[in-house]
Amino acid sequence: MIFETHAHYEDKQFDADRDALLESMYENGISRIVNVGSTIETTKKSIELAEKYDFIYAAAGVHPSETECLNEESFAWLQLQVKHPKVKAVGEIGLDYYWDKEAAVRERQRYWFKRQLQLAKEASLPVIIHSRDAAEDTLAIMREAFQMQIPGVIHCFSYSPQTAEEYIKMGYYIGIGGVVTFKNAKKLKETVEKIPLDKILLETDCPYMAPEPYRGKRNSSVYLPYIAAAIAQIKGVTEQEVIRVTEQNALRMYQMREEE
């Protein structure tokens, strides 16, 4: 069974068929899903989904491009949410310099990134890291997180194989999604080839980033086998081996037992 480590089923793109789709997951080979918050509101909705479905868990956190919604009051609310028994991570948090060019905005991102890392430390939870066009700053802050013994995953990895190896040396996992199936994803394929399978997590980031042959369409966890197959081909192992090892990786990172 496949462990979906990063989804956004609270997204409005699922409004028309959310329940029917989620109820089909087991028959499609999906055992567990972590639904990841990106704002205060989506964190609330992620927890609601986790309360509704036994196989769904939540991550509580605010995406770097949404940090204007954070203040001491909203952060205090987050501090309460990480105590929920079905919240298994703080995320997605990190840095995104692609859209935000202003120095003050980037400084705000770094501030709340560090605050949310501290939150994860206090809650003894792993972190889900979003990083776009911010390789150097993210790596520097994650070196601090490593010193604080905060585990986690670099979600939707988009940097060099060498950067991935730096994260792996610190014990972090690398999240691999639909991009690995794209013909032009040379750098990511090289990364998957070089890093050990026991440091890879399967994810979709749905409804975004659908794999081939569904690129450009709404993504869902049902398409995870395409990602597993692409990784298997690159690594020279069976698809079932990829599914087995990455499920164990996810259980380990999210500090979950197989019977959960």
Side-chain angles (χ1 to χ4, degrees), residues 5-145:
T5 64
H6 194 118
H8 297 283
Y9 282 108
E10 85 295 337
D11 191 279
K12 63 183 179 181
Q13 291 188 51
F14 294 110
D15 284 355
D17 62 345
R18 182 179 292 107
D19 289 334
L21 180 59
L22 290 173
E23 286 164 8
S24 75
M25 287 299 160
Y26 189 82
E27 65 193 61
N28 281 291
I30 311 303
S31 60
R32 300 170 183 84
I33 295 169
V34 175
N35 206 81
V36 182
S38 55
T39 64
I40 295 297
E41 188 58 34
T42 58
T43 292
K44 288 178 184 176
K45 291 179 178 179
S46 294
I47 294 171
E48 287 170 3
L49 281 172
E51 290 173 338
K52 184 174 183 179
Y53 292 96
D54 288 345
F55 64 94
I56 295 181
Y57 301 85
V62 175
H63 184 286
S65 295
E66 304 288 345
T67 50
E68 70 275 7
C69 78
L70 280 172
N71 51 45
E72 292 306 322
E73 182 180 359
S74 55
F75 189 74
W77 180 86
L78 269 181
Q79 289 176 307
L80 294 175
Q81 306 320 301
V82 298
K83 298 175 182 179
H84 192 290
K86 293 204 77 178
V87 170
K88 296 297 182 179
V90 173
E92 64 189 276
I93 65 175
L95 301 175
D96 192 321
Y97 292 171
Y98 181 78
W99 299 110
D100 297 318
K101 311 295 185 185
E102 294 180 19
V105 174
R106 292 182 174 186
E107 180 57 37
R108 183 183 68 207
Q109 287 192 12
R110 290 189 290 270
Y111 174 79
W112 287 112
F113 184 12
K114 292 180 180 181
R115 288 286 300 274
Q116 291 182 94
L117 284 170
Q118 183 61 40
L119 175 61
K121 173 66 176 176
E122 292 167 0
S124 299
L125 289 175
V127 289
I128 300 169
I129 304 301
H130 171 104
S131 181
R132 189 178 186 190
D133 285 6
E136 187 176 339
D137 283 359
T138 306
L139 186 56
I141 293 173
M142 290 308 293
R143 286 192 176 114
E144 296 176 15

Side-chain angles (χ1 to χ4, degrees), residues 207-255:
Y208 315 106
M209 309 296 290
E212 296 287 0
Y214 299 100
R215 187 174 181 177
K217 300 183 185 299
R218 186 189 74 172
N219 199 6
S220 85
S221 307
V222 171
Y223 299 151
L224 278 164
Y226 293 96
I227 299 167
I231 294 171
Q233 184 175 22
I234 294 167
K235 303 294 282 182
V237 298
T238 65
E239 184 179 339
Q240 277 307 118
E241 178 69 359
V242 171
I243 290 170
R244 183 188 69 79
V245 174
T246 56
E247 182 182 35
Q248 290 302 310
N249 297 345
L251 288 169
R252 193 179 310 117
M253 194 202 82
Y254 284 118
Q255 304 167 35

